[in-house]
Amino acid sequence: MSIKRTDIPAEEIEKQLAICTEVRQRYEGKKPLALVDTFGCQQNEEDSEKIRGYLAEMGFEMTEDEFKADIIVLNTCAVREHAEMRVFGNLGALTHPKKENPNQIIAVCGCMVQQEHVVDKIKKSFRHVDLVFGPDELWRFPELIYTVMTKRKRVFAPGSGDGCVAEGVPHLRADKVKAWLSIMNGCNNFCTYCIVPYTRFRERSRQPEEIVKEARELVAQGYKEITLLGQNVNSYGRDLDCGITFAQLIRMINSIEGDFVIRFMTSHPKDANSELFTAMRDCEKCEKHLHLPLQSGSDRILKAMNRHYDTEKYLALVDKVRETVPDIVLTTDIIVGFPNETDEDFEGTMSVIEKVRFDAMFTFIYSKRLGTPAAEMSDPFTREEKQVHFDRLLEAQNRISEEKHREYIGKIVRALIDGKDREEGVLSARTSGGRLVRVISDESLIGTFANVKITDCNTWALRGEIV
Ligand code: SAH
Ligand code: SF4
Ligand code: F3S
């Protein structure tokens, strides 16, 4: 596995943009359409915005209709088997639009294609796929698509592991209120269950000045919420020797003038520290939400997961952040059914969640990932046994979330109104802690901050009125 970092020179990106112009000319007189579908995390969403950015430079407009699209890109995720099955299902179904429109180009990118067995499967069993490229090759998407168009041959470009860092790739952002800002890519942690270090390679931080520049542009464009993204944001800058820590980066972005807020994810408990918590406290634009994945409440399992903390350290961290930022909202991720997780281990997890009382939790049943150390571990427990634990955990967390939500009733909170809710005539808003609030209001308020009086709640959301 390579530990390289390759900064892509600005001229290379210029070249890619010149290719975009050539593609645009090929479609002269037509209105080409593209569909980009994302299956993964926020980092993948951000990558999709770059793919759409390039496509827009090529003159494409976006569509949701796979039968109308001239180009379809599936940006995939490999984190759990379920995500991969969804991709293969969707990919299989694309034989139909392709049959109707043989000139249609189908591309598959993202974390899945960084695995050899997936690329082999696409080569052999999904012959309607024209282009495959890994997350590291995204910066040269125009060149790859141009080769497919002009040579009419299948192109396979899974990443080489060079650890590419490219600046200046255009974005087409889906949202007008909230923006993702990727500050780093890759992961060095090798949690034994996780595929990400193999699909995204080692940690590479972007230069702080590039990040601040992008944040300034977003604020100037009117974005109200900027979410800083990285697999482990607390190790930001360590690979750069730039002397800027993640906490300092938050302070730098906080000092940009404007009415906007900052969020970030994800923080690894082994690296989250007081420096971060005091920055969160001091920076008025930094939202008071910390997503701190616990994964398990058993020290034995945490060790087997290679997480580098135990429950005692985790609980001390929770105390510290609550002491520093009293109104902090804490959320977490839990994996149920890691190889050999016994009833006793699981009770450990139940005990920690009752102690911490997280505001919300994302729970996953362990999914075996080929090539990770955990895939080699013995696992005597059945899916049904794991499901029993999973259901118990969910039930406990739903109770805690609802109880925590009840505490908001009658309070007035500041929230960013970020869009329309599924319910007719209702808007969605987010509190500083990231809790969803549904408010009846008129659409003109989307993209503004409002004081909301909380009137009701359920497990997943609050309900309120603008005051
Ligand atoms: N870098 C982040 C998140 C990575 S993936 C972090 O360290 O927290 C998001 C979540 O998916 C993880 O927190 C973990 O809970 C879950 N996850 C990762 N690999 C998994 C696997 N093999 N099976 C089940 N859940 C997994
Ligand atoms: Fe995966 Fe662990 Fe890295 Fe998160 S910190 S991406 S869980 S290896
Ligand atoms: Fe999935 Fe890759 Fe993100 S595996 S969770 S899309 S980093």
Side-chain angles (χ1 to χ4, degrees):
M1 171 97 10
S2 162
I3 51 159
K4 273 204 286 194
R5 170 196 177 103
T6 310
D7 286 279
I8 306 300
E11 307 83 77
E12 285 296 335
I13 304 300
E14 290 298 321
K15 262 194 224 163
Q16 300 301 321
L17 292 170
I19 297 173
C20 290
T21 312
E22 279 188 47
V23 174
R24 188 188 275 267
Q25 282 156 2
R26 288 177 71 88
Y27 282 100
E28 197 91 343
K30 293 180 215 151
K31 272 219 171 87
L33 295 173
L35 187 162
V36 181
D37 213 353
T38 317
F39 293 81
C41 59
Q42 291 84 353
Q43 199 111 42
N44 244 30
E45 290 284 354
E46 204 260 358
D47 281 348
S48 288
E49 292 179 347
K50 288 183 184 146
I51 296 168
R52 290 193 194 98
Y54 269 143
L55 285 164
E57 291 289 323
M58 296 175 200
F60 283 81
E61 281 179 23
M62 300 303 135
T63 176
E64 297 286 307
D65 186 342
E66 62 268 29
F67 284 89
K68 293 205 177 113
D70 298 282
I71 293 185
I72 298 180
V73 184
L74 299 193
N75 191 5
T76 66
C77 171
V79 83
R80 280 171 292 274
E81 193 185 5
H82 177 72
E84 296 201 335
M85 297 318 285
R86 272 181 60 219
V87 169
F88 282 127
N90 276 270
L91 206 48
L94 290 183
T95 48
H96 305 295
K98 180 91 174 194
K99 211 171 255 164
E100 282 195 12
N101 174 12
N103 284 328
Q104 185 177 57
I105 295 175
I106 299 180
V108 183
C109 63
C111 289
M112 262 173 86
V113 308
Q114 215 55 71
Q115 306 174 95
E116 232 171 86
H117 66 275
V118 172
V119 176
D120 285 346
K121 186 165 170 172
I122 294 176
K123 267 189 192 154
K124 289 197 197 98
S125 313
F126 294 86
R127 302 208 49 89
H128 56 302
V129 172
D130 303 283
L131 168 62
V132 164
F133 62 100
D136 245 30
E137 306 299 305
L138 193 161
W139 65 272
R140 62 188 192 101
F141 171 65
E143 164 194 330
L144 297 169
I145 208 95
Y146 190 74
T147 309
V148 174
M149 279 175 182
T150 52
K151 305 252 162 62
R152 285 315 304 181
K153 65 168 191 184
R154 303 178 89 194
V155 174
F156 288 87
S160 51
D162 284 348
C164 296
V165 181
E167 295 295 344
V169 175
H171 282 83
L172 180 65
R173 290 189 158 88
D175 204 272
K176 298 270 174 278
V177 181
K178 303 190 286 188
W180 309 117
L181 202 175
S182 172
I183 63 165
M184 60 205 293
N185 208 330
C187 182
N188 289 354
N189 293 316
F190 289 96
C191 302
T192 53
Y193 50 81
C194 185
I195 195 76
V196 173
Y198 307 89
T199 65
R200 295 263 171 180
F201 309 118
R202 294 302 70 70
E203 269 171 25
R204 289 96 68 198
S205 302
R206 291 176 65 197
Q207 297 292 347
E209 54 275 22
E210 293 287 350
I211 296 169
V212 172
K213 186 172 137 220
E214 190 173 335
R216 274 188 204 290
E217 285 163 6
L218 291 170
V219 174
Q221 286 162 20
Y223 282 95
K224 297 294 172 205
E225 179 185 294
I226 297 175
T227 303
L228 309 176
L229 296 178
Q231 294 299 342
N232 176 15
V233 287
N234 294 303
S235 59
Y236 171 79
R238 280 188 201 158
D239 55 317
L240 285 181
D241 285 331
C242 63
I244 305 283
T245 62
F246 180 59
Q248 286 167 322
L249 187 69
I250 292 183
R251 288 179 191 269
M252 286 160 76
I253 298 173
N254 188 66
S255 66
I256 298 173
E257 253 175 67
D259 191 20
F260 72 99
V261 294
I262 306 164
R263 295 185 184 281
F264 59 87
M265 67 189 318
T266 301
S267 286
H268 194 303
K270 81 178 165 56
D271 297 309
N273 57 22
S274 314
E275 192 205 356
L276 173 70
F277 306 153
T278 46
M280 290 181 82
R281 180 197 62 198
D282 297 347
C283 294
E284 73 289 353
K285 292 184 180 112
C286 185
E287 295 288 51
K288 309 310 180 216
H289 172 206
L290 185 66
H291 183 63
L292 197 63
L294 167 67
Q295 311 298 4
S296 166
S298 151
D299 290 342
R300 195 180 71 86
I301 295 293
L302 285 171
K303 202 164 174 26
M305 286 177 163
N306 192 33
R307 288 290 286 179
H308 296 284
Y309 56 85
D310 56 17
T311 48
E312 193 184 324
K313 178 172 175 203
Y314 188 93
L315 290 169
L317 209 55
V318 167
D319 285 344
K320 186 83 207 160
V321 68
R322 284 190 167 146
E323 185 190 309
T324 317
V325 192
D327 49 352
I328 193 83
V329 165
L330 278 175
T331 58
T332 201
D333 291 348
I334 303 279
I335 296 177
V336 173
F338 183 83
N340 225 342
E341 184 186 65
T342 61
D343 284 343
E344 196 188 333
D345 294 316
F346 176 72
E347 293 310 328
T349 301
M350 290 295 283
S351 148
V352 176
I353 74 141
E354 293 291 351
K355 275 188 198 135
V356 177
R357 293 177 58 80
F358 293 102
D359 293 80
M361 182 193 289
F362 299 89
T363 30
F364 309 102
I365 289 191
Y366 168 73
S367 171
K368 187 170 172 170
R369 305 286 71 207
L370 206 69
T372 61
E376 308 298 318
M377 296 177 190
S378 69
D379 190 7
F381 298 103
T382 62
R383 170 80 199 201
E384 288 67 35
E385 286 168 305
K386 296 180 182 193
Q387 190 69 45
V388 172
H389 285 168
F390 183 87
D391 293 344
R392 255 187 72 200
L393 183 64
L394 207 62
E395 203 182 296
Q397 183 56 43
N398 285 348
R399 167 179 49 78
I400 296 169
S401 291
E402 180 156 0
E403 283 166 7
K404 293 216 117 186
H405 276 169
R406 293 230 160 268
E407 292 167 14
Y408 284 86
I409 294 181
K411 287 192 182 153
I412 294 174
V413 294
R414 185 175 189 251
L416 172 63
I417 304 181
D418 59 8
K420 283 197 260 182
D421 192 69
R422 278 178 312 226
E423 210 178 306
E424 192 64 33
V426 179
L427 300 182
S428 71
R430 291 275 165 185
T431 67
S432 171
R435 306 286 73 221
L436 171 65
V437 193
R438 302 205 161 100
V439 286
I440 297 176
S441 179
D442 109 58
E443 280 177 34
S444 65
L445 289 184
I446 293 175
T448 63
F449 292 94
N451 288 324
V452 180
K453 182 168 183 190
I454 306 302
T455 53
D456 196 7
C457 72
N458 62 23
T459 309
W460 302 277
L462 307 168
R463 210 169 245 287
E465 290 161 3
I466 293 179
V467 291

